[in-house]
Amino acid sequence: MKKIVTLLMVVALIFSLSACDSSGQRQDTISTLETVSELQERQPTPTDLDFSLERYNLIRRAYWVNGQREKAAAVVCQVEKPLGYIVLFTESGSVVGRFVVDGKVSSLNSYLTPDSEAYSSNYWLDWIADVDGSYGENDAGIFFFTPDGKYVEWTGTYLYSDIPFEVDDPVVKVGG
């Protein structure tokens, strides 16, 4: 079924591009779509994931930021969570903090549900509220939980790894 859908998408794009452009750009686009289709066939999206740490984090965050911390703490993780290590930096490179991450770092712009549904026949979007009834975007950033259950959000630069590491406090020099 995926092959048929991908093939139909490629054919539709070929027809739409042929009406717009007669340059090599059209052929490049077609070649790229064919290559991507072949790669998706050889390396399909995994369908055997049993548990998502991203969804786990999002569920915990939904409870946490809405004042239901007991529920956030009670959410059960069905896999062994890895530990990660993160250093948060200011724009000038100074270290703000170092943390051990319980599980994984997640994007503030990841959601449990889509933010809208597109109705292509009418060319309009129907905006869908988030789980807390709100609409809109979050800041571009990350969030994570520490092993002792603390919640951290960050909208700056960071370094993350699954191995412990040390970062010396950078020295900021202003010359003139």
PDB file of all heavy atoms in Angstrom, residues 68-99:
ATOM      1  N   GLN A  68      -0.495  19.042  37.649  1.00  0.00           N
ATOM      2  CA  GLN A  68      -0.845  17.699  38.115  1.00  0.00           C
ATOM      3  C   GLN A  68       0.424  16.850  38.224  1.00  0.00           C
ATOM      4  O   GLN A  68       0.579  15.842  37.560  1.00  0.00           O
ATOM      5  CB  GLN A  68      -1.864  17.078  37.166  1.00  0.00           C
ATOM      6  CG  GLN A  68      -3.142  17.904  37.090  1.00  0.00           C
ATOM      7  CD  GLN A  68      -4.123  17.343  36.103  1.00  0.00           C
ATOM      8  OE1 GLN A  68      -4.368  16.138  36.071  1.00  0.00           O
ATOM      9  NE2 GLN A  68      -4.679  18.206  35.283  1.00  0.00           N
ATOM     10  N   ARG A  69       1.296  17.283  39.099  1.00  0.00           N
ATOM     11  CA  ARG A  69       2.615  16.657  39.209  1.00  0.00           C
ATOM     12  C   ARG A  69       2.558  15.233  39.738  1.00  0.00           C
ATOM     13  O   ARG A  69       3.392  14.406  39.390  1.00  0.00           O
ATOM     14  CB  ARG A  69       3.521  17.539  40.051  1.00  0.00           C
ATOM     15  CG  ARG A  69       3.769  18.839  39.304  1.00  0.00           C
ATOM     16  CD  ARG A  69       4.746  19.731  39.937  1.00  0.00           C
ATOM     17  NE  ARG A  69       4.972  20.839  39.016  1.00  0.00           N
ATOM     18  CZ  ARG A  69       5.314  22.040  39.391  1.00  0.00           C
ATOM     19  NH1 ARG A  69       5.497  22.298  40.661  1.00  0.00           N
ATOM     20  NH2 ARG A  69       5.499  22.985  38.497  1.00  0.00           N
ATOM     21  N   GLU A  70       1.569  14.925  40.556  1.00  0.00           N
ATOM     22  CA  GLU A  70       1.442  13.547  41.044  1.00  0.00           C
ATOM     23  C   GLU A  70       1.132  12.607  39.888  1.00  0.00           C
ATOM     24  O   GLU A  70       1.668  11.498  39.816  1.00  0.00           O
ATOM     25  CB  GLU A  70       0.333  13.437  42.104  1.00  0.00           C
ATOM     26  CG  GLU A  70       0.569  14.261  43.356  1.00  0.00           C
ATOM     27  CD  GLU A  70       0.220  15.745  43.170  1.00  0.00           C
ATOM     28  OE1 GLU A  70      -0.594  16.101  42.284  1.00  0.00           O
ATOM     29  OE2 GLU A  70       0.784  16.568  43.910  1.00  0.00           O
ATOM     30  N   LYS A  71       0.260  13.048  38.984  1.00  0.00           N
ATOM     31  CA  LYS A  71      -0.042  12.224  37.808  1.00  0.00           C
ATOM     32  C   LYS A  71       1.185  12.094  36.915  1.00  0.00           C
ATOM     33  O   LYS A  71       1.432  11.030  36.352  1.00  0.00           O
ATOM     34  CB  LYS A  71      -1.208  12.820  37.017  1.00  0.00           C
ATOM     35  CG  LYS A  71      -2.558  12.623  37.669  1.00  0.00           C
ATOM     36  CD  LYS A  71      -3.658  13.150  36.767  1.00  0.00           C
ATOM     37  CE  LYS A  71      -5.022  12.969  37.396  1.00  0.00           C
ATOM     38  NZ  LYS A  71      -6.095  13.481  36.536  1.00  0.00           N
ATOM     39  N   ALA A  72       1.944  13.187  36.772  1.00  0.00           N
ATOM     40  CA  ALA A  72       3.160  13.136  35.951  1.00  0.00           C
ATOM     41  C   ALA A  72       4.138  12.109  36.517  1.00  0.00           C
ATOM     42  O   ALA A  72       4.742  11.334  35.770  1.00  0.00           O
ATOM     43  CB  ALA A  72       3.812  14.515  35.883  1.00  0.00           C
ATOM     44  N   ALA A  73       4.291  12.098  37.811  1.00  0.00           N
ATOM     45  CA  ALA A  73       5.221  11.172  38.455  1.00  0.00           C
ATOM     46  C   ALA A  73       4.736   9.730  38.374  1.00  0.00           C
ATOM     47  O   ALA A  73       5.538   8.797  38.426  1.00  0.00           O
ATOM     48  CB  ALA A  73       5.428  11.573  39.913  1.00  0.00           C
ATOM     49  N   ALA A  74       3.434   9.539  38.235  1.00  0.00           N
ATOM     50  CA  ALA A  74       2.858   8.194  38.224  1.00  0.00           C
ATOM     51  C   ALA A  74       2.811   7.552  36.834  1.00  0.00           C
ATOM     52  O   ALA A  74       2.478   6.374  36.713  1.00  0.00           O
ATOM     53  CB  ALA A  74       1.447   8.232  38.818  1.00  0.00           C
ATOM     54  N   VAL A  75       3.147   8.302  35.792  1.00  0.00           N
ATOM     55  CA  VAL A  75       3.129   7.735  34.443  1.00  0.00           C
ATOM     56  C   VAL A  75       4.190   6.642  34.365  1.00  0.00           C
ATOM     57  O   VAL A  75       5.351   6.866  34.728  1.00  0.00           O
ATOM     58  CB  VAL A  75       3.375   8.819  33.369  1.00  0.00           C
ATOM     59  CG1 VAL A  75       3.464   8.195  31.983  1.00  0.00           C
ATOM     60  CG2 VAL A  75       2.276   9.875  33.407  1.00  0.00           C
ATOM     61  N   VAL A  76       3.786   5.476  33.913  1.00  0.00           N
ATOM     62  CA  VAL A  76       4.673   4.306  33.891  1.00  0.00           C
ATOM     63  C   VAL A  76       5.416   4.221  32.568  1.00  0.00           C
ATOM     64  O   VAL A  76       4.825   4.335  31.504  1.00  0.00           O
ATOM     65  CB  VAL A  76       3.854   3.012  34.106  1.00  0.00           C
ATOM     66  CG1 VAL A  76       4.740   1.781  34.000  1.00  0.00           C
ATOM     67  CG2 VAL A  76       3.142   3.059  35.447  1.00  0.00           C
ATOM     68  N   CYS A  77       6.724   4.032  32.671  1.00  0.00           N
ATOM     69  CA  CYS A  77       7.545   3.813  31.489  1.00  0.00           C
ATOM     70  C   CYS A  77       7.716   2.305  31.309  1.00  0.00           C
ATOM     71  O   CYS A  77       8.127   1.610  32.239  1.00  0.00           O
ATOM     72  CB  CYS A  77       8.910   4.485  31.648  1.00  0.00           C
ATOM     73  SG  CYS A  77       9.916   4.350  30.158  1.00  0.00           S
ATOM     74  N   GLN A  78       7.418   1.817  30.120  1.00  0.00           N
ATOM     75  CA  GLN A  78       7.436   0.376  29.870  1.00  0.00           C
ATOM     76  C   GLN A  78       8.762  -0.137  29.319  1.00  0.00           C
ATOM     77  O   GLN A  78       8.877  -1.306  28.981  1.00  0.00           O
ATOM     78  CB  GLN A  78       6.302   0.012  28.921  1.00  0.00           C
ATOM     79  CG  GLN A  78       4.941   0.326  29.496  1.00  0.00           C
ATOM     80  CD  GLN A  78       3.822   0.058  28.521  1.00  0.00           C
ATOM     81  OE1 GLN A  78       4.033  -0.449  27.418  1.00  0.00           O
ATOM     82  NE2 GLN A  78       2.609   0.395  28.914  1.00  0.00           N
ATOM     83  N   VAL A  79       9.745   0.751  29.204  1.00  0.00           N
ATOM     84  CA  VAL A  79      11.076   0.332  28.766  1.00  0.00           C
ATOM     85  C   VAL A  79      12.102   0.893  29.747  1.00  0.00           C
ATOM     86  O   VAL A  79      11.805   1.802  30.521  1.00  0.00           O
ATOM     87  CB  VAL A  79      11.399   0.836  27.334  1.00  0.00           C
ATOM     88  CG1 VAL A  79      10.468   0.232  26.323  1.00  0.00           C
ATOM     89  CG2 VAL A  79      11.388   2.351  27.263  1.00  0.00           C
ATOM     90  N   GLU A  80      13.294   0.331  29.706  1.00  0.00           N
ATOM     91  CA  GLU A  80      14.360   0.868  30.549  1.00  0.00           C
ATOM     92  C   GLU A  80      14.827   2.187  29.942  1.00  0.00           C
ATOM     93  O   GLU A  80      15.289   2.231  28.799  1.00  0.00           O
ATOM     94  CB  GLU A  80      15.518  -0.117  30.623  1.00  0.00           C
ATOM     95  CG  GLU A  80      16.616   0.344  31.542  1.00  0.00           C
ATOM     96  CD  GLU A  80      17.740  -0.675  31.654  1.00  0.00           C
ATOM     97  OE1 GLU A  80      17.526  -1.857  31.346  1.00  0.00           O
ATOM     98  OE2 GLU A  80      18.832  -0.255  32.059  1.00  0.00           O
ATOM     99  N   LYS A  81      14.681   3.257  30.710  1.00  0.00           N
ATOM    100  CA  LYS A  81      15.052   4.574  30.202  1.00  0.00           C
ATOM    101  C   LYS A  81      16.562   4.736  30.231  1.00  0.00           C
ATOM    102  O   LYS A  81      17.200   4.424  31.227  1.00  0.00           O
ATOM    103  CB  LYS A  81      14.400   5.674  31.042  1.00  0.00           C
ATOM    104  CG  LYS A  81      12.898   5.735  30.918  1.00  0.00           C
ATOM    105  CD  LYS A  81      12.324   6.850  31.758  1.00  0.00           C
ATOM    106  CE  LYS A  81      12.328   6.399  33.209  1.00  0.00           C
ATOM    107  NZ  LYS A  81      11.748   7.366  34.122  1.00  0.00           N
ATOM    108  N   PRO A  82      17.116   5.243  29.137  1.00  0.00           N
ATOM    109  CA  PRO A  82      18.545   5.543  29.162  1.00  0.00           C
ATOM    110  C   PRO A  82      18.793   6.816  29.970  1.00  0.00           C
ATOM    111  O   PRO A  82      17.875   7.615  30.170  1.00  0.00           O
ATOM    112  CB  PRO A  82      18.868   5.786  27.683  1.00  0.00           C
ATOM    113  CG  PRO A  82      17.584   6.257  27.090  1.00  0.00           C
ATOM    114  CD  PRO A  82      16.495   5.555  27.854  1.00  0.00           C
ATOM    115  N   LEU A  83      20.008   6.982  30.433  1.00  0.00           N
ATOM    116  CA  LEU A  83      20.407   8.241  31.050  1.00  0.00           C
ATOM    117  C   LEU A  83      21.182   9.039  30.017  1.00  0.00           C
ATOM    118  O   LEU A  83      21.961   8.481  29.240  1.00  0.00           O
ATOM    119  CB  LEU A  83      21.286   8.011  32.279  1.00  0.00           C
ATOM    120  CG  LEU A  83      20.604   7.435  33.506  1.00  0.00           C
ATOM    121  CD1 LEU A  83      21.608   7.286  34.641  1.00  0.00           C
ATOM    122  CD2 LEU A  83      19.441   8.306  33.961  1.00  0.00           C
ATOM    123  N   GLY A  84      20.961  10.339  29.997  1.00  0.00           N
ATOM    124  CA  GLY A  84      21.697  11.228  29.114  1.00  0.00           C
ATOM    125  C   GLY A  84      22.333  12.325  29.942  1.00  0.00           C
ATOM    126  O   GLY A  84      22.038  12.482  31.135  1.00  0.00           O
ATOM    127  N   TYR A  85      23.179  13.085  29.310  1.00  0.00           N
ATOM    128  CA  TYR A  85      23.902  14.149  29.992  1.00  0.00           C
ATOM    129  C   TYR A  85      23.818  15.397  29.125  1.00  0.00           C
ATOM    130  O   TYR A  85      24.047  15.338  27.912  1.00  0.00           O
ATOM    131  CB  TYR A  85      25.353  13.720  30.225  1.00  0.00           C
ATOM    132  CG  TYR A  85      25.417  12.412  30.971  1.00  0.00           C
ATOM    133  CD1 TYR A  85      25.413  11.193  30.288  1.00  0.00           C
ATOM    134  CD2 TYR A  85      25.403  12.388  32.361  1.00  0.00           C
ATOM    135  CE1 TYR A  85      25.410   9.985  30.974  1.00  0.00           C
ATOM    136  CE2 TYR A  85      25.414  11.182  33.050  1.00  0.00           C
ATOM    137  CZ  TYR A  85      25.407   9.989  32.349  1.00  0.00           C
ATOM    138  OH  TYR A  85      25.400   8.803  33.034  1.00  0.00           O
ATOM    139  N   ILE A  86      23.486  16.531  29.749  1.00  0.00           N
ATOM    140  CA  ILE A  86      23.276  17.748  28.997  1.00  0.00           C
ATOM    141  C   ILE A  86      23.935  18.922  29.700  1.00  0.00           C
ATOM    142  O   ILE A  86      23.974  18.982  30.929  1.00  0.00           O
ATOM    143  CB  ILE A  86      21.755  18.003  28.795  1.00  0.00           C
ATOM    144  CG1 ILE A  86      21.506  19.086  27.751  1.00  0.00           C
ATOM    145  CG2 ILE A  86      21.065  18.328  30.103  1.00  0.00           C
ATOM    146  CD1 ILE A  86      20.063  19.129  27.261  1.00  0.00           C
ATOM    147  N   VAL A  87      24.483  19.824  28.892  1.00  0.00           N
ATOM    148  CA  VAL A  87      25.034  21.088  29.380  1.00  0.00           C
ATOM    149  C   VAL A  87      24.293  22.194  28.639  1.00  0.00           C
ATOM    150  O   VAL A  87      24.161  22.147  27.404  1.00  0.00           O
ATOM    151  CB  VAL A  87      26.555  21.199  29.127  1.00  0.00           C
ATOM    152  CG1 VAL A  87      27.082  22.552  29.587  1.00  0.00           C
ATOM    153  CG2 VAL A  87      27.294  20.082  29.830  1.00  0.00           C
ATOM    154  N   LEU A  88      23.800  23.184  29.380  1.00  0.00           N
ATOM    155  CA  LEU A  88      23.055  24.300  28.809  1.00  0.00           C
ATOM    156  C   LEU A  88      23.960  25.528  28.763  1.00  0.00           C
ATOM    157  O   LEU A  88      24.629  25.844  29.747  1.00  0.00           O
ATOM    158  CB  LEU A  88      21.817  24.596  29.659  1.00  0.00           C
ATOM    159  CG  LEU A  88      20.934  23.390  29.993  1.00  0.00           C
ATOM    160  CD1 LEU A  88      19.777  23.814  30.888  1.00  0.00           C
ATOM    161  CD2 LEU A  88      20.432  22.712  28.728  1.00  0.00           C
ATOM    162  N   PHE A  89      23.967  26.217  27.616  1.00  0.00           N
ATOM    163  CA  PHE A  89      24.847  27.360  27.404  1.00  0.00           C
ATOM    164  C   PHE A  89      24.052  28.637  27.148  1.00  0.00           C
ATOM    165  O   PHE A  89      22.973  28.604  26.570  1.00  0.00           O
ATOM    166  CB  PHE A  89      25.740  27.132  26.166  1.00  0.00           C
ATOM    167  CG  PHE A  89      26.650  25.960  26.263  1.00  0.00           C
ATOM    168  CD1 PHE A  89      26.299  24.743  25.700  1.00  0.00           C
ATOM    169  CD2 PHE A  89      27.863  26.060  26.908  1.00  0.00           C
ATOM    170  CE1 PHE A  89      27.151  23.652  25.766  1.00  0.00           C
ATOM    171  CE2 PHE A  89      28.723  24.972  26.990  1.00  0.00           C
ATOM    172  CZ  PHE A  89      28.369  23.775  26.419  1.00  0.00           C
ATOM    173  N   THR A  90      24.655  29.786  27.535  1.00  0.00           N
ATOM    174  CA  THR A  90      24.118  31.084  27.141  1.00  0.00           C
ATOM    175  C   THR A  90      24.581  31.368  25.715  1.00  0.00           C
ATOM    176  O   THR A  90      25.409  30.633  25.163  1.00  0.00           O
ATOM    177  CB  THR A  90      24.625  32.219  28.050  1.00  0.00           C
ATOM    178  OG1 THR A  90      26.046  32.329  27.878  1.00  0.00           O
ATOM    179  CG2 THR A  90      24.285  31.974  29.508  1.00  0.00           C
ATOM    180  N   GLU A  91      24.083  32.438  25.127  1.00  0.00           N
ATOM    181  CA  GLU A  91      24.509  32.813  23.777  1.00  0.00           C
ATOM    182  C   GLU A  91      26.004  33.112  23.713  1.00  0.00           C
ATOM    183  O   GLU A  91      26.642  32.905  22.693  1.00  0.00           O
ATOM    184  CB  GLU A  91      23.718  34.021  23.294  1.00  0.00           C
ATOM    185  CG  GLU A  91      22.292  33.691  22.936  1.00  0.00           C
ATOM    186  CD  GLU A  91      21.547  34.892  22.385  1.00  0.00           C
ATOM    187  OE1 GLU A  91      22.180  35.838  21.888  1.00  0.00           O
ATOM    188  OE2 GLU A  91      20.307  34.875  22.460  1.00  0.00           O
ATOM    189  N   SER A  92      26.579  33.611  24.815  1.00  0.00           N
ATOM    190  CA  SER A  92      28.011  33.924  24.820  1.00  0.00           C
ATOM    191  C   SER A  92      28.877  32.704  25.121  1.00  0.00           C
ATOM    192  O   SER A  92      30.089  32.793  25.110  1.00  0.00           O
ATOM    193  CB  SER A  92      28.298  35.021  25.850  1.00  0.00           C
ATOM    194  OG  SER A  92      28.040  34.548  27.163  1.00  0.00           O
ATOM    195  N   GLY A  93      28.255  31.571  25.400  1.00  0.00           N
ATOM    196  CA  GLY A  93      29.010  30.347  25.627  1.00  0.00           C
ATOM    197  C   GLY A  93      29.219  29.989  27.078  1.00  0.00           C
ATOM    198  O   GLY A  93      29.838  28.969  27.373  1.00  0.00           O
ATOM    199  N   SER A  94      28.721  30.794  27.999  1.00  0.00           N
ATOM    200  CA  SER A  94      28.850  30.457  29.416  1.00  0.00           C
ATOM    201  C   SER A  94      27.944  29.283  29.757  1.00  0.00           C
ATOM    202  O   SER A  94      26.859  29.135  29.196  1.00  0.00           O
ATOM    203  CB  SER A  94      28.458  31.647  30.280  1.00  0.00           C
ATOM    204  OG  SER A  94      29.309  32.739  30.035  1.00  0.00           O
ATOM    205  N   VAL A  95      28.384  28.459  30.683  1.00  0.00           N
ATOM    206  CA  VAL A  95      27.598  27.305  31.109  1.00  0.00           C
ATOM    207  C   VAL A  95      26.556  27.764  32.129  1.00  0.00           C
ATOM    208  O   VAL A  95      26.882  28.402  33.129  1.00  0.00           O
ATOM    209  CB  VAL A  95      28.503  26.218  31.723  1.00  0.00           C
ATOM    210  CG1 VAL A  95      27.680  25.082  32.310  1.00  0.00           C
ATOM    211  CG2 VAL A  95      29.482  25.694  30.674  1.00  0.00           C
ATOM    212  N   VAL A  96      25.300  27.451  31.850  1.00  0.00           N
ATOM    213  CA  VAL A  96      24.198  27.785  32.754  1.00  0.00           C
ATOM    214  C   VAL A  96      23.942  26.637  33.715  1.00  0.00           C
ATOM    215  O   VAL A  96      23.670  26.837  34.893  1.00  0.00           O
ATOM    216  CB  VAL A  96      22.912  28.100  31.964  1.00  0.00           C
ATOM    217  CG1 VAL A  96      21.732  28.274  32.879  1.00  0.00           C
ATOM    218  CG2 VAL A  96      23.114  29.334  31.107  1.00  0.00           C
ATOM    219  N   GLY A  97      24.023  25.431  33.214  1.00  0.00           N
ATOM    220  CA  GLY A  97      23.756  24.275  34.064  1.00  0.00           C
ATOM    221  C   GLY A  97      24.152  22.976  33.406  1.00  0.00           C
ATOM    222  O   GLY A  97      24.304  22.893  32.186  1.00  0.00           O
ATOM    223  N   ARG A  98      24.301  21.969  34.251  1.00  0.00           N
ATOM    224  CA  ARG A  98      24.604  20.609  33.807  1.00  0.00           C
ATOM    225  C   ARG A  98      23.586  19.697  34.468  1.00  0.00           C
ATOM    226  O   ARG A  98      23.330  19.828  35.663  1.00  0.00           O
ATOM    227  CB  ARG A  98      26.002  20.193  34.251  1.00  0.00           C
ATOM    228  CG  ARG A  98      27.120  20.978  33.651  1.00  0.00           C
ATOM    229  CD  ARG A  98      28.456  20.542  34.296  1.00  0.00           C
ATOM    230  NE  ARG A  98      29.583  21.182  33.683  1.00  0.00           N
ATOM    231  CZ  ARG A  98      30.028  22.395  34.014  1.00  0.00           C
ATOM    232  NH1 ARG A  98      29.439  23.075  34.977  1.00  0.00           N
ATOM    233  NH2 ARG A  98      31.067  22.921  33.397  1.00  0.00           N
ATOM    234  N   PHE A  99      23.044  18.758  33.697  1.00  0.00           N
ATOM    235  CA  PHE A  99      22.023  17.873  34.246  1.00  0.00           C
ATOM    236  C   PHE A  99      22.197  16.460  33.730  1.00  0.00           C
ATOM    237  O   PHE A  99      22.706  16.248  32.630  1.00  0.00           O
ATOM    238  CB  PHE A  99      20.614  18.345  33.834  1.00  0.00           C
ATOM    239  CG  PHE A  99      20.242  19.694  34.353  1.00  0.00           C
ATOM    240  CD1 PHE A  99      20.480  20.831  33.601  1.00  0.00           C
ATOM    241  CD2 PHE A  99      19.634  19.832  35.593  1.00  0.00           C
ATOM    242  CE1 PHE A  99      20.128  22.085  34.069  1.00  0.00           C
ATOM    243  CE2 PHE A  99      19.273  21.077  36.071  1.00  0.00           C
ATOM    244  CZ  PHE A  99      19.524  22.211  35.307  1.00  0.00           C
TER     245      PHE A  99
END
